[in-house]
Structure formats: C-alpha cells, structure tokens
Amino acid sequence: MELLFSYGTLQQENVQIANFGRKLVGTKDSLPLYSLEQLRITDQRVLRESGKEFHPILQYTGKPSDEVVGTVFELTADEIARADDYEVDDYQRVKAKLKSGRSCWIYAAAN
C-alpha cells in the first residue's frame, strides 16, 4: 500500500467513489513547509466529479511556520495511478515527509 496525503477534493466521498470505487478511510496529519493556493479547474471531468471550479494546490514555501492540514489515505498502486489521472497537469506527485514523520505522496504545484 502507498500513502497519499490529501488536502482537497480527494477527501470528498463522491470524488473517492468516482475514482476508486470506494470510500477511503484515512487519518489526520499535516504537511509542514507548504501553504495552499487556489487553482481554477477547467477540465470538465474534474469539474463534474468535484463540483468545484477552484481547487486547493500545495505550494512549497520552506517556511517552518507554514503547515497544511489534511488526511492520509492508504491506496494501492492502481489507485495511485487513478489519482494521477484525476489530478490536472498543474499538479505533480512528489514524496514528502509529514509532521508525524511518515513519508507519503503529495500533489503539489508543478512549478
């Protein structure tokens, strides 16, 4: 199983069902050194599934005072690939270390 930190629409049950065919169970955690920005979504599939035109996106700041709260989910490799398909090109999947010390995947700004 892979760990994925979610801070946005992947926490929505309807998005989970649409992409993974199941409701995910997760644990709360936080990601230091990042802040949230807003991204306007134009992909029709993502708009339809999330119901939201603006999605949060992680931006690395390196500032110890910055921290994003979210949920850590356990996903299979196939489910991670489906999450990759859901996220638009403005996001990139990278490894990060959470406040708890766990290493996981995150979707951050691709810049």
Side-chain angles (χ1 to χ4, degrees):
M1 296 295 268
E2 304 271 355
L3 295 180
L4 175 68
F5 178 74
S6 175
Y7 53 89
T9 61
L10 285 176
Q11 294 181 93
Q12 295 176 210
E13 184 176 344
N14 61 312
V15 172
Q16 294 172 6
I17 299 298
N19 287 278
F20 311 119
R22 67 183 180 102
K23 182 180 181 325
L24 303 178
V25 177
T27 57
K28 294 293 179 194
D29 210 328
S30 61
L31 179 66
L33 309 178
Y34 283 82
S35 66
L36 288 179
E37 303 286 329
Q38 291 294 309
L39 175 69
R40 184 170 187 226
I41 300 297
T42 58
D43 182 286
Q44 291 303 306
R45 174 188 158 222
V46 176
L47 284 168
R48 184 175 56 254
E49 289 178 5
S50 72
K52 296 179 180 175
E53 181 180 5
F54 290 91
H55 289 201
I57 188 166
L58 289 172
Q59 186 69 50
Y60 180 78
T61 66
K63 295 179 185 176
S65 60
D66 287 339
E67 186 173 311
V68 175
V69 175
T71 306
V72 180
F73 296 113
E74 286 188 4
L75 300 177
T76 65
D78 181 59
E79 288 171 329
I80 290 286
R82 286 188 249 157
D84 287 345
D85 288 340
Y86 171 75
E87 299 295 354
V88 297
D89 291 342
D90 297 281
Y91 293 88
Q92 65 179 350
R93 180 167 51 93
V94 295
K95 280 284 190 179
K97 192 168 197 172
L98 298 172
K99 190 172 185 178
S100 66
R102 295 187 287 178
S103 179
C104 68
W105 291 111
I106 64 170
Y107 288 103
N111 56 12

